[in-house]
Amino acid sequence: MPTVKDILVKKPTEQEKTRCSAWPIWKCEPSKFDWAYTETETCLLLEGKVTVSDENGSVNFGAGDLVVFPCDLECTWHIHEPVTKHYKFS
């Protein structure tokens, strides 16, 4: 079972930014909720600040980050600042 330590957070290349710009957009106001990934999600945060946690620790990311969440990850999202992101499930 993956943990938050398996989440990849990086600064995207220009090519990755262009590819992500064609993906759907998701928005969310500050909140806290549990989430379970049934697919791998890749997202590019356009704005916001987030902490994702589980019993193994936490990962922080925000505007400008490219984030990959592994399939089967169970975690809690804590959105500190309103989020707008491009996303894709695979």
Side-chain angles (χ1 to χ4, degrees), residues 28-61:
C28 191
E29 293 300 314
S31 55
K32 189 172 185 178
F33 57 89
D34 294 332
W35 189 254
Y37 287 89
T38 58
E39 297 178 86
T40 299
E41 179 188 2
T42 303
C43 65
L44 174 63
L45 265 76
L46 302 175
E47 58 185 33
K49 286 188 180 177
V50 178
T51 301
V52 174
S53 61
D54 66 10
E55 63 276 358
N56 295 294
S58 63
V59 175
N60 299 302
F61 51 90

PDB file of all heavy atoms in Angstrom, residues 28-61:
ATOM      1  N   CYS A  28     -11.107  24.054  -5.341  1.00  0.00           N
ATOM      2  CA  CYS A  28     -11.627  23.736  -4.017  1.00  0.00           C
ATOM      3  C   CYS A  28     -11.227  24.828  -3.037  1.00  0.00           C
ATOM      4  O   CYS A  28     -10.092  25.314  -3.079  1.00  0.00           O
ATOM      5  CB  CYS A  28     -11.092  22.387  -3.551  1.00  0.00           C
ATOM      6  SG  CYS A  28     -11.917  21.746  -2.075  1.00  0.00           S
ATOM      7  N   GLU A  29     -12.163  25.201  -2.189  1.00  0.00           N
ATOM      8  CA  GLU A  29     -11.921  26.185  -1.142  1.00  0.00           C
ATOM      9  C   GLU A  29     -11.210  25.510   0.038  1.00  0.00           C
ATOM     10  O   GLU A  29     -11.177  24.283   0.127  1.00  0.00           O
ATOM     11  CB  GLU A  29     -13.252  26.791  -0.680  1.00  0.00           C
ATOM     12  CG  GLU A  29     -13.932  27.638  -1.743  1.00  0.00           C
ATOM     13  CD  GLU A  29     -13.077  28.814  -2.186  1.00  0.00           C
ATOM     14  OE1 GLU A  29     -12.517  29.511  -1.315  1.00  0.00           O
ATOM     15  OE2 GLU A  29     -12.958  29.024  -3.406  1.00  0.00           O
ATOM     16  N   PRO A  30     -10.656  26.290   0.956  1.00  0.00           N
ATOM     17  CA  PRO A  30     -10.007  25.682   2.127  1.00  0.00           C
ATOM     18  C   PRO A  30     -10.941  24.682   2.823  1.00  0.00           C
ATOM     19  O   PRO A  30     -12.119  24.972   3.061  1.00  0.00           O
ATOM     20  CB  PRO A  30      -9.712  26.889   3.021  1.00  0.00           C
ATOM     21  CG  PRO A  30      -9.496  28.004   2.049  1.00  0.00           C
ATOM     22  CD  PRO A  30     -10.519  27.748   0.966  1.00  0.00           C
ATOM     23  N   SER A  31     -10.404  23.503   3.078  1.00  0.00           N
ATOM     24  CA  SER A  31     -11.195  22.426   3.674  1.00  0.00           C
ATOM     25  C   SER A  31     -10.252  21.300   4.067  1.00  0.00           C
ATOM     26  O   SER A  31      -9.058  21.340   3.798  1.00  0.00           O
ATOM     27  CB  SER A  31     -12.245  21.915   2.679  1.00  0.00           C
ATOM     28  OG  SER A  31     -11.640  21.510   1.465  1.00  0.00           O
ATOM     29  N   LYS A  32     -10.827  20.265   4.688  1.00  0.00           N
ATOM     30  CA  LYS A  32     -10.075  19.070   5.069  1.00  0.00           C
ATOM     31  C   LYS A  32     -10.961  17.866   4.782  1.00  0.00           C
ATOM     32  O   LYS A  32     -12.128  17.849   5.176  1.00  0.00           O
ATOM     33  CB  LYS A  32      -9.700  19.127   6.549  1.00  0.00           C
ATOM     34  CG  LYS A  32      -8.741  18.058   6.974  1.00  0.00           C
ATOM     35  CD  LYS A  32      -8.273  18.310   8.397  1.00  0.00           C
ATOM     36  CE  LYS A  32      -7.217  17.298   8.790  1.00  0.00           C
ATOM     37  NZ  LYS A  32      -6.712  17.549  10.136  1.00  0.00           N
ATOM     38  N   PHE A  33     -10.419  16.873   4.057  1.00  0.00           N
ATOM     39  CA  PHE A  33     -11.216  15.699   3.698  1.00  0.00           C
ATOM     40  C   PHE A  33     -10.309  14.497   3.439  1.00  0.00           C
ATOM     41  O   PHE A  33      -9.152  14.643   3.080  1.00  0.00           O
ATOM     42  CB  PHE A  33     -12.094  15.982   2.477  1.00  0.00           C
ATOM     43  CG  PHE A  33     -11.343  16.440   1.250  1.00  0.00           C
ATOM     44  CD1 PHE A  33     -10.855  15.531   0.331  1.00  0.00           C
ATOM     45  CD2 PHE A  33     -11.123  17.795   1.019  1.00  0.00           C
ATOM     46  CE1 PHE A  33     -10.160  15.948  -0.799  1.00  0.00           C
ATOM     47  CE2 PHE A  33     -10.437  18.237  -0.098  1.00  0.00           C
ATOM     48  CZ  PHE A  33      -9.953  17.311  -1.007  1.00  0.00           C
ATOM     49  N   ASP A  34     -10.873  13.306   3.635  1.00  0.00           N
ATOM     50  CA  ASP A  34     -10.174  12.059   3.332  1.00  0.00           C
ATOM     51  C   ASP A  34     -10.351  11.736   1.860  1.00  0.00           C
ATOM     52  O   ASP A  34     -11.398  12.041   1.262  1.00  0.00           O
ATOM     53  CB  ASP A  34     -10.727  10.917   4.177  1.00  0.00           C
ATOM     54  CG  ASP A  34     -10.455  11.102   5.658  1.00  0.00           C
ATOM     55  OD1 ASP A  34      -9.446  11.754   6.001  1.00  0.00           O
ATOM     56  OD2 ASP A  34     -11.232  10.585   6.469  1.00  0.00           O
ATOM     57  N   TRP A  35      -9.321  11.095   1.258  1.00  0.00           N
ATOM     58  CA  TRP A  35      -9.397  10.730  -0.148  1.00  0.00           C
ATOM     59  C   TRP A  35      -8.669   9.414  -0.366  1.00  0.00           C
ATOM     60  O   TRP A  35      -7.620   9.166   0.244  1.00  0.00           O
ATOM     61  CB  TRP A  35      -8.758  11.830  -1.013  1.00  0.00           C
ATOM     62  CG  TRP A  35      -9.003  11.619  -2.463  1.00  0.00           C
ATOM     63  CD1 TRP A  35      -8.100  11.179  -3.396  1.00  0.00           C
ATOM     64  CD2 TRP A  35     -10.219  11.835  -3.168  1.00  0.00           C
ATOM     65  NE1 TRP A  35      -8.694  11.108  -4.628  1.00  0.00           N
ATOM     66  CE2 TRP A  35     -10.001  11.500  -4.510  1.00  0.00           C
ATOM     67  CE3 TRP A  35     -11.485  12.270  -2.782  1.00  0.00           C
ATOM     68  CZ2 TRP A  35     -10.996  11.591  -5.468  1.00  0.00           C
ATOM     69  CZ3 TRP A  35     -12.470  12.352  -3.738  1.00  0.00           C
ATOM     70  CH2 TRP A  35     -12.220  12.021  -5.066  1.00  0.00           C
ATOM     71  N   ALA A  36      -9.215   8.561  -1.234  1.00  0.00           N
ATOM     72  CA  ALA A  36      -8.574   7.309  -1.617  1.00  0.00           C
ATOM     73  C   ALA A  36      -8.434   7.291  -3.135  1.00  0.00           C
ATOM     74  O   ALA A  36      -9.420   7.480  -3.854  1.00  0.00           O
ATOM     75  CB  ALA A  36      -9.402   6.119  -1.152  1.00  0.00           C
ATOM     76  N   TYR A  37      -7.228   7.097  -3.612  1.00  0.00           N
ATOM     77  CA  TYR A  37      -6.948   7.093  -5.053  1.00  0.00           C
ATOM     78  C   TYR A  37      -7.161   5.701  -5.622  1.00  0.00           C
ATOM     79  O   TYR A  37      -6.527   4.741  -5.177  1.00  0.00           O
ATOM     80  CB  TYR A  37      -5.512   7.557  -5.318  1.00  0.00           C
ATOM     81  CG  TYR A  37      -5.344   9.030  -5.093  1.00  0.00           C
ATOM     82  CD1 TYR A  37      -5.016   9.533  -3.840  1.00  0.00           C
ATOM     83  CD2 TYR A  37      -5.557   9.935  -6.123  1.00  0.00           C
ATOM     84  CE1 TYR A  37      -4.884  10.892  -3.621  1.00  0.00           C
ATOM     85  CE2 TYR A  37      -5.434  11.296  -5.916  1.00  0.00           C
ATOM     86  CZ  TYR A  37      -5.093  11.764  -4.668  1.00  0.00           C
ATOM     87  OH  TYR A  37      -4.982  13.118  -4.446  1.00  0.00           O
ATOM     88  N   THR A  38      -8.036   5.598  -6.610  1.00  0.00           N
ATOM     89  CA  THR A  38      -8.277   4.329  -7.301  1.00  0.00           C
ATOM     90  C   THR A  38      -7.521   4.282  -8.628  1.00  0.00           C
ATOM     91  O   THR A  38      -7.512   3.257  -9.300  1.00  0.00           O
ATOM     92  CB  THR A  38      -9.771   4.121  -7.565  1.00  0.00           C
ATOM     93  OG1 THR A  38     -10.264   5.216  -8.337  1.00  0.00           O
ATOM     94  CG2 THR A  38     -10.540   4.014  -6.246  1.00  0.00           C
ATOM     95  N   GLU A  39      -6.891   5.400  -8.984  1.00  0.00           N
ATOM     96  CA  GLU A  39      -6.035   5.516 -10.161  1.00  0.00           C
ATOM     97  C   GLU A  39      -4.879   6.438  -9.783  1.00  0.00           C
ATOM     98  O   GLU A  39      -4.949   7.136  -8.776  1.00  0.00           O
ATOM     99  CB  GLU A  39      -6.793   6.151 -11.331  1.00  0.00           C
ATOM    100  CG  GLU A  39      -7.982   5.377 -11.841  1.00  0.00           C
ATOM    101  CD  GLU A  39      -8.675   6.131 -12.960  1.00  0.00           C
ATOM    102  OE1 GLU A  39      -8.251   5.976 -14.113  1.00  0.00           O
ATOM    103  OE2 GLU A  39      -9.621   6.877 -12.655  1.00  0.00           O
ATOM    104  N   THR A  40      -3.847   6.463 -10.604  1.00  0.00           N
ATOM    105  CA  THR A  40      -2.772   7.433 -10.425  1.00  0.00           C
ATOM    106  C   THR A  40      -3.274   8.786 -10.891  1.00  0.00           C
ATOM    107  O   THR A  40      -3.895   8.883 -11.954  1.00  0.00           O
ATOM    108  CB  THR A  40      -1.533   7.023 -11.238  1.00  0.00           C
ATOM    109  OG1 THR A  40      -1.086   5.750 -10.778  1.00  0.00           O
ATOM    110  CG2 THR A  40      -0.418   8.046 -11.121  1.00  0.00           C
ATOM    111  N   GLU A  41      -3.033   9.824 -10.089  1.00  0.00           N
ATOM    112  CA  GLU A  41      -3.397  11.181 -10.501  1.00  0.00           C
ATOM    113  C   GLU A  41      -2.138  12.017 -10.656  1.00  0.00           C
ATOM    114  O   GLU A  41      -1.256  11.996  -9.794  1.00  0.00           O
ATOM    115  CB  GLU A  41      -4.294  11.877  -9.483  1.00  0.00           C
ATOM    116  CG  GLU A  41      -4.641  13.301  -9.936  1.00  0.00           C
ATOM    117  CD  GLU A  41      -5.374  14.144  -8.913  1.00  0.00           C
ATOM    118  OE1 GLU A  41      -5.624  13.674  -7.795  1.00  0.00           O
ATOM    119  OE2 GLU A  41      -5.690  15.296  -9.246  1.00  0.00           O
ATOM    120  N   THR A  42      -2.076  12.752 -11.765  1.00  0.00           N
ATOM    121  CA  THR A  42      -1.033  13.746 -11.977  1.00  0.00           C
ATOM    122  C   THR A  42      -1.737  15.092 -12.039  1.00  0.00           C
ATOM    123  O   THR A  42      -2.763  15.228 -12.711  1.00  0.00           O
ATOM    124  CB  THR A  42      -0.278  13.502 -13.291  1.00  0.00           C
ATOM    125  OG1 THR A  42       0.265  12.183 -13.267  1.00  0.00           O
ATOM    126  CG2 THR A  42       0.843  14.517 -13.486  1.00  0.00           C
ATOM    127  N   CYS A  43      -1.212  16.080 -11.303  1.00  0.00           N
ATOM    128  CA  CYS A  43      -1.841  17.397 -11.329  1.00  0.00           C
ATOM    129  C   CYS A  43      -0.793  18.501 -11.303  1.00  0.00           C
ATOM    130  O   CYS A  43       0.326  18.310 -10.831  1.00  0.00           O
ATOM    131  CB  CYS A  43      -2.837  17.570 -10.195  1.00  0.00           C
ATOM    132  SG  CYS A  43      -2.136  17.543  -8.541  1.00  0.00           S
ATOM    133  N   LEU A  44      -1.185  19.655 -11.843  1.00  0.00           N
ATOM    134  CA  LEU A  44      -0.368  20.855 -11.829  1.00  0.00           C
ATOM    135  C   LEU A  44      -1.147  21.912 -11.077  1.00  0.00           C
ATOM    136  O   LEU A  44      -2.227  22.320 -11.526  1.00  0.00           O
ATOM    137  CB  LEU A  44      -0.059  21.326 -13.252  1.00  0.00           C
ATOM    138  CG  LEU A  44       0.678  22.653 -13.364  1.00  0.00           C
ATOM    139  CD1 LEU A  44       2.064  22.562 -12.729  1.00  0.00           C
ATOM    140  CD2 LEU A  44       0.779  23.094 -14.810  1.00  0.00           C
ATOM    141  N   LEU A  45      -0.629  22.333  -9.928  1.00  0.00           N
ATOM    142  CA  LEU A  45      -1.319  23.356  -9.134  1.00  0.00           C
ATOM    143  C   LEU A  45      -1.057  24.735  -9.721  1.00  0.00           C
ATOM    144  O   LEU A  45       0.099  25.145  -9.869  1.00  0.00           O
ATOM    145  CB  LEU A  45      -0.857  23.319  -7.672  1.00  0.00           C
ATOM    146  CG  LEU A  45      -1.774  22.467  -6.792  1.00  0.00           C
ATOM    147  CD1 LEU A  45      -1.532  21.014  -7.009  1.00  0.00           C
ATOM    148  CD2 LEU A  45      -1.674  22.886  -5.371  1.00  0.00           C
ATOM    149  N   LEU A  46      -2.130  25.423 -10.046  1.00  0.00           N
ATOM    150  CA  LEU A  46      -2.044  26.780 -10.562  1.00  0.00           C
ATOM    151  C   LEU A  46      -2.055  27.783  -9.417  1.00  0.00           C
ATOM    152  O   LEU A  46      -1.449  28.844  -9.503  1.00  0.00           O
ATOM    153  CB  LEU A  46      -3.198  27.063 -11.524  1.00  0.00           C
ATOM    154  CG  LEU A  46      -3.293  26.112 -12.722  1.00  0.00           C
ATOM    155  CD1 LEU A  46      -4.536  26.413 -13.534  1.00  0.00           C
ATOM    156  CD2 LEU A  46      -2.035  26.198 -13.576  1.00  0.00           C
ATOM    157  N   GLU A  47      -2.790  27.444  -8.351  1.00  0.00           N
ATOM    158  CA  GLU A  47      -2.813  28.270  -7.145  1.00  0.00           C
ATOM    159  C   GLU A  47      -3.201  27.416  -5.958  1.00  0.00           C
ATOM    160  O   GLU A  47      -3.791  26.356  -6.117  1.00  0.00           O
ATOM    161  CB  GLU A  47      -3.753  29.461  -7.291  1.00  0.00           C
ATOM    162  CG  GLU A  47      -5.184  29.123  -7.610  1.00  0.00           C
ATOM    163  CD  GLU A  47      -6.042  30.362  -7.852  1.00  0.00           C
ATOM    164  OE1 GLU A  47      -5.533  31.351  -8.360  1.00  0.00           O
ATOM    165  OE2 GLU A  47      -7.238  30.295  -7.523  1.00  0.00           O
ATOM    166  N   GLY A  48      -2.838  27.898  -4.768  1.00  0.00           N
ATOM    167  CA  GLY A  48      -3.219  27.220  -3.537  1.00  0.00           C
ATOM    168  C   GLY A  48      -2.047  26.636  -2.775  1.00  0.00           C
ATOM    169  O   GLY A  48      -0.913  26.616  -3.263  1.00  0.00           O
ATOM    170  N   LYS A  49      -2.349  26.194  -1.551  1.00  0.00           N
ATOM    171  CA  LYS A  49      -1.386  25.503  -0.686  1.00  0.00           C
ATOM    172  C   LYS A  49      -2.099  24.328  -0.040  1.00  0.00           C
ATOM    173  O   LYS A  49      -3.207  24.477   0.467  1.00  0.00           O
ATOM    174  CB  LYS A  49      -0.852  26.435   0.394  1.00  0.00           C
ATOM    175  CG  LYS A  49       0.128  27.459  -0.112  1.00  0.00           C
ATOM    176  CD  LYS A  49       0.762  28.206   1.026  1.00  0.00           C
ATOM    177  CE  LYS A  49       1.735  29.233   0.472  1.00  0.00           C
ATOM    178  NZ  LYS A  49       2.334  30.035   1.537  1.00  0.00           N
ATOM    179  N   VAL A  50      -1.436  23.164  -0.051  1.00  0.00           N
ATOM    180  CA  VAL A  50      -2.051  21.919   0.412  1.00  0.00           C
ATOM    181  C   VAL A  50      -1.052  21.121   1.246  1.00  0.00           C
ATOM    182  O   VAL A  50       0.141  21.107   0.949  1.00  0.00           O
ATOM    183  CB  VAL A  50      -2.491  21.056  -0.798  1.00  0.00           C
ATOM    184  CG1 VAL A  50      -3.091  19.739  -0.342  1.00  0.00           C
ATOM    185  CG2 VAL A  50      -3.449  21.813  -1.701  1.00  0.00           C
ATOM    186  N   THR A  51      -1.565  20.432   2.256  1.00  0.00           N
ATOM    187  CA  THR A  51      -0.820  19.398   2.968  1.00  0.00           C
ATOM    188  C   THR A  51      -1.614  18.108   2.823  1.00  0.00           C
ATOM    189  O   THR A  51      -2.818  18.086   3.091  1.00  0.00           O
ATOM    190  CB  THR A  51      -0.662  19.734   4.463  1.00  0.00           C
ATOM    191  OG1 THR A  51       0.028  20.972   4.598  1.00  0.00           O
ATOM    192  CG2 THR A  51       0.108  18.645   5.187  1.00  0.00           C
ATOM    193  N   VAL A  52      -0.953  17.048   2.383  1.00  0.00           N
ATOM    194  CA  VAL A  52      -1.568  15.727   2.293  1.00  0.00           C
ATOM    195  C   VAL A  52      -0.860  14.852   3.320  1.00  0.00           C
ATOM    196  O   VAL A  52       0.376  14.829   3.380  1.00  0.00           O
ATOM    197  CB  VAL A  52      -1.440  15.138   0.873  1.00  0.00           C
ATOM    198  CG1 VAL A  52      -1.938  13.713   0.830  1.00  0.00           C
ATOM    199  CG2 VAL A  52      -2.207  15.993  -0.128  1.00  0.00           C
ATOM    200  N   SER A  53      -1.645  14.147   4.132  1.00  0.00           N
ATOM    201  CA  SER A  53      -1.039  13.359   5.206  1.00  0.00           C
ATOM    202  C   SER A  53      -1.666  11.974   5.324  1.00  0.00           C
ATOM    203  O   SER A  53      -2.770  11.724   4.833  1.00  0.00           O
ATOM    204  CB  SER A  53      -1.176  14.099   6.538  1.00  0.00           C
ATOM    205  OG  SER A  53      -2.530  14.289   6.854  1.00  0.00           O
ATOM    206  N   ASP A  54      -0.913  11.090   5.975  1.00  0.00           N
ATOM    207  CA  ASP A  54      -1.405   9.777   6.398  1.00  0.00           C
ATOM    208  C   ASP A  54      -0.640   9.418   7.670  1.00  0.00           C
ATOM    209  O   ASP A  54       0.074  10.271   8.225  1.00  0.00           O
ATOM    210  CB  ASP A  54      -1.284   8.726   5.285  1.00  0.00           C
ATOM    211  CG  ASP A  54       0.143   8.379   4.899  1.00  0.00           C
ATOM    212  OD1 ASP A  54       1.095   8.797   5.594  1.00  0.00           O
ATOM    213  OD2 ASP A  54       0.328   7.683   3.877  1.00  0.00           O
ATOM    214  N   GLU A  55      -0.742   8.190   8.114  1.00  0.00           N
ATOM    215  CA  GLU A  55      -0.090   7.814   9.367  1.00  0.00           C
ATOM    216  C   GLU A  55       1.438   7.810   9.262  1.00  0.00           C
ATOM    217  O   GLU A  55       2.135   7.737  10.268  1.00  0.00           O
ATOM    218  CB  GLU A  55      -0.593   6.445   9.864  1.00  0.00           C
ATOM    219  CG  GLU A  55      -0.283   5.292   8.957  1.00  0.00           C
ATOM    220  CD  GLU A  55      -1.285   5.095   7.814  1.00  0.00           C
ATOM    221  OE1 GLU A  55      -2.275   5.842   7.728  1.00  0.00           O
ATOM    222  OE2 GLU A  55      -1.068   4.177   7.004  1.00  0.00           O
ATOM    223  N   ASN A  56       1.975   7.927   8.048  1.00  0.00           N
ATOM    224  CA  ASN A  56       3.426   7.911   7.837  1.00  0.00           C
ATOM    225  C   ASN A  56       4.056   9.294   7.731  1.00  0.00           C
ATOM    226  O   ASN A  56       5.264   9.405   7.592  1.00  0.00           O
ATOM    227  CB  ASN A  56       3.753   7.119   6.571  1.00  0.00           C
ATOM    228  CG  ASN A  56       3.376   5.665   6.723  1.00  0.00           C
ATOM    229  OD1 ASN A  56       3.953   4.957   7.527  1.00  0.00           O
ATOM    230  ND2 ASN A  56       2.377   5.230   5.983  1.00  0.00           N
ATOM    231  N   GLY A  57       3.233  10.345   7.734  1.00  0.00           N
ATOM    232  CA  GLY A  57       3.790  11.688   7.623  1.00  0.00           C
ATOM    233  C   GLY A  57       2.919  12.590   6.772  1.00  0.00           C
ATOM    234  O   GLY A  57       1.725  12.347   6.587  1.00  0.00           O
ATOM    235  N   SER A  58       3.556  13.637   6.222  1.00  0.00           N
ATOM    236  CA  SER A  58       2.813  14.585   5.395  1.00  0.00           C
ATOM    237  C   SER A  58       3.706  15.139   4.296  1.00  0.00           C
ATOM    238  O   SER A  58       4.939  15.095   4.390  1.00  0.00           O
ATOM    239  CB  SER A  58       2.253  15.727   6.249  1.00  0.00           C
ATOM    240  OG  SER A  58       3.306  16.462   6.833  1.00  0.00           O
ATOM    241  N   VAL A  59       3.052  15.660   3.249  1.00  0.00           N
ATOM    242  CA  VAL A  59       3.726  16.288   2.113  1.00  0.00           C
ATOM    243  C   VAL A  59       3.025  17.604   1.853  1.00  0.00           C
ATOM    244  O   VAL A  59       1.785  17.656   1.823  1.00  0.00           O
ATOM    245  CB  VAL A  59       3.652  15.383   0.855  1.00  0.00           C
ATOM    246  CG1 VAL A  59       4.233  16.081  -0.354  1.00  0.00           C
ATOM    247  CG2 VAL A  59       4.350  14.063   1.101  1.00  0.00           C
ATOM    248  N   ASN A  60       3.812  18.670   1.649  1.00  0.00           N
ATOM    249  CA  ASN A  60       3.270  19.986   1.331  1.00  0.00           C
ATOM    250  C   ASN A  60       3.574  20.332  -0.121  1.00  0.00           C
ATOM    251  O   ASN A  60       4.658  20.010  -0.611  1.00  0.00           O
ATOM    252  CB  ASN A  60       3.903  21.055   2.230  1.00  0.00           C
ATOM    253  CG  ASN A  60       3.612  20.812   3.686  1.00  0.00           C
ATOM    254  OD1 ASN A  60       2.465  20.742   4.091  1.00  0.00           O
ATOM    255  ND2 ASN A  60       4.656  20.653   4.481  1.00  0.00           N
ATOM    256  N   PHE A  61       2.626  20.991  -0.775  1.00  0.00           N
ATOM    257  CA  PHE A  61       2.856  21.467  -2.134  1.00  0.00           C
ATOM    258  C   PHE A  61       1.949  22.655  -2.393  1.00  0.00           C
ATOM    259  O   PHE A  61       1.025  22.925  -1.627  1.00  0.00           O
ATOM    260  CB  PHE A  61       2.677  20.357  -3.166  1.00  0.00           C
ATOM    261  CG  PHE A  61       1.383  19.595  -3.053  1.00  0.00           C
ATOM    262  CD1 PHE A  61       0.252  19.996  -3.741  1.00  0.00           C
ATOM    263  CD2 PHE A  61       1.300  18.471  -2.242  1.00  0.00           C
ATOM    264  CE1 PHE A  61      -0.934  19.283  -3.631  1.00  0.00           C
ATOM    265  CE2 PHE A  61       0.120  17.756  -2.128  1.00  0.00           C
ATOM    266  CZ  PHE A  61      -1.005  18.172  -2.827  1.00  0.00           C
TER     267      PHE A  61
END
